[in-house]
Amino acid sequence: MVAVNSVLAYIPSPPQGVWQLGPFPLRAYALFIILGIVVAIWWGERRWRERGGQPGAILDVAMFAVPFGLVGGRIYHVATDWQKYFGEGKHPIEALYIWQGGLGIWGAVFFGAIGAWIGCRMYKIPLPALGDAVAPGVLLAQAIGRLGNYFNQELYGRPTDVPWGLEIYERFDPETGARDMMNGVSTGRVLEVVQPTFLYELVWNVLIVVLLVQVDKRFKIGHGRLFALYVAGYSFGRFFVELLRSDEATHILGIRINSFTAALVFLGAMAYFALATKGRETPAQLQPDGEPRPWPWQLSALRAAGVADNAAAASDSGTTVDVSKKADSAATEQDSAQSDEATAVIAATDPKSAPPPPPKPGPTTSSPTPFSV
């Protein structure tokens, strides 16, 4: 146990993360997850509409992406921390207790992307463009979700004596008196002071969100490349945060499995950013169409489709202007012909009421002007 230095202003943990409202437990972890999802959908919807997409598309796709993401996040967590749920003295049923924390972001993003792809296929909108629209909001949602880890006193780092160290309190169940670090209430006794890795990741996520927004405004990138930057930026920071963690985790060659995952995902995201179609989709390309898009892993087909869409959009833009001009000219000629026809009919039925014929053109004379140059 690390001795508490009374001079340093350590960060205190919340005294509890669960409050009982009658028979219903109100969990801070769940509240922050829900809040993050709401923020991601709201901001993603705004960005999608600003890019020219149809209103409501983000919410429609989220109906597929969110459940897939939650299930995928839990699957990744259980698969990489299986020793917490399986084995002698363990309770496998607790693998389903998602409210107790434990969502692997890698599984959440991967399975959430599968759900989003299914939704985009159903509503016939391009998945890469939708990913670019929601990327900053999804990362901000991850930052908000880290506050849930703070209330749960989980995902912290090694013991430390830095001034911003996080105090971990001992918690007990107020009814039974049993030690319960996750759901209990603090006694005020500090067990140890640790690296606040939840805070490091939260701050890093917010910085990457700001960077994504600025890059998007300045360079107008699209075709999934902004989403790739989000994945790469998050993975880069997560790699170093993992080096500070000390909680139980599966190791490969003495290195935490999440560090390997972060490195591999970073390389994959940067490769996609380099190979994907340059530029940004036009508003016309965001509208639902009847043509099925290539599969996400068919990079060459996706690039070819992006180039073809850009060329078609440019061609349609030029044709639209010419057609409108021709349509206006045709309408003017038609109105003139109808006017002449009406005049002829009136003259044939009632010569007196017919308008006088237009004056014959003659020589034009110009009156002198007071000043000439």
Side-chain angles (χ1 to χ4, degrees):
M1 184 175 71
V2 177
V4 179
N5 190 332
S6 59
V7 177
L8 301 179
Y10 292 132
I11 301 173
S13 290
Q16 62 191 99
V18 182
W19 297 266
Q20 288 296 139
L21 299 180
F24 304 102
L26 181 64
R27 301 179 182 275
Y29 182 83
L31 290 178
F32 284 112
I33 293 294
I34 294 172
L35 177 60
I37 292 173
V38 171
V39 169
I41 294 175
W42 172 79
W43 195 9
E45 177 70 17
R46 285 193 57 182
R47 287 174 51 81
W48 179 253
R49 295 177 63 176
E50 290 171 357
R51 287 170 174 251
Q54 288 188 340
I58 300 299
L59 182 59
D60 291 338
V61 175
M63 299 300 291
F64 295 88
V66 171
F68 271 74
L70 292 175
V71 172
R74 190 61 177 179
I75 289 176
Y76 180 89
H77 167 74
V78 173
T80 55
D81 290 329
W82 57 269
Q83 65 275 7
K84 295 180 180 179
Y85 307 100
F86 304 99
E88 185 177 356
K90 304 297 182 179
H91 302 87
I93 189 63
E94 292 183 357
L96 303 177
Y97 294 173
I98 192 173
W99 55 86
Q100 291 188 356
L103 288 176
I105 189 59
W106 315 110
V109 172
F110 180 75
F111 279 81
I114 293 177
W117 174 78
I118 294 174
C120 287
R121 295 282 290 190
M122 290 192 62
Y123 294 105
K124 299 179 180 179
I125 56 180
L127 174 62
L130 183 133
D132 291 333
V134 302
V138 170
L139 188 53
L140 183 58
Q142 291 176 221
I144 295 173
R146 284 307 176 207
L147 292 173
N149 301 133
Y150 171 55
F151 276 84
N152 275 3
Q153 291 194 142
E154 61 181 355
L155 303 186
Y156 49 80
R158 296 190 296 270
T160 183
D161 58 358
V162 297
W164 55 87
L166 175 68
E167 295 178 338
I168 299 298
Y169 297 151
E170 192 173 29
R171 290 177 175 178
F172 290 90
D173 187 325
E175 295 184 0
T176 64
R179 195 168 187 263
D180 190 346
M181 296 296 292
M182 181 74 68
N183 304 309
V185 179
S186 169
T187 61
R189 177 171 176 262
V190 178
L191 293 178
E192 56 183 348
V193 178
V194 298
Q195 292 277 3
T197 51
F198 86 92
L199 182 61
Y200 299 158
E201 187 172 328
L202 187 157
V203 172
W204 176 258
N205 289 353
V206 173
L207 291 176
I208 298 299
V209 167
V210 175
L211 178 64
L212 290 176
V213 172
Q214 295 304 315
V215 168
D216 195 34
K217 286 182 178 179
R218 181 172 181 178
F219 299 103
K220 306 292 184 183
I221 63 176
H223 299 283
R225 298 174 78 222
L226 189 72
F227 190 87
L229 281 183
Y230 140 62
V231 174
Y234 172 78
S235 301
F236 183 83
R238 180 62 182 269
F239 177 86
F240 293 99
V241 169
E242 283 293 322
L243 300 179
L244 299 174
R245 296 266 297 273
S246 62
D247 54 324
E248 294 182 8
T250 302
H251 290 72
I252 300 177
L253 301 177
I255 301 175
R256 296 169 66 91
I257 189 172
N258 281 335
S259 295
F260 279 101
T261 304
L264 294 175
V265 172
F266 172 80
L267 294 176
M270 292 306 298
Y272 181 91
F273 179 81
L275 298 174
T277 306
K278 306 300 185 292
R280 175 183 288 185
E281 299 88 345
T282 63
Q285 292 174 269
L286 304 185
Q287 309 309 313
D289 57 56
E291 295 295 329
R293 297 187 63 81
W295 295 85
W297 53 83
Q298 295 176 313
L299 292 181
S300 59
L302 284 172
R303 293 185 66 187
V307 172
D309 289 344
N310 288 337
S315 176
D316 292 343
S317 177
T319 304
T320 301
V321 175
D322 295 337
V323 170
S324 63
K325 290 181 179 179
K326 292 180 180 179
D328 293 341
S329 176
T332 302
E333 293 177 0
Q334 183 179 4
D335 292 342
S336 176
Q338 291 176 350
S339 177
D340 293 342
E341 182 180 356
T343 301
V345 171
I346 294 174
T349 56
D350 188 3
K352 295 181 180 181
S353 61
K360 295 182 178 180
T364 58
T365 58
S366 59
S367 57
T369 57
F371 303 99
S372 60
V373 179

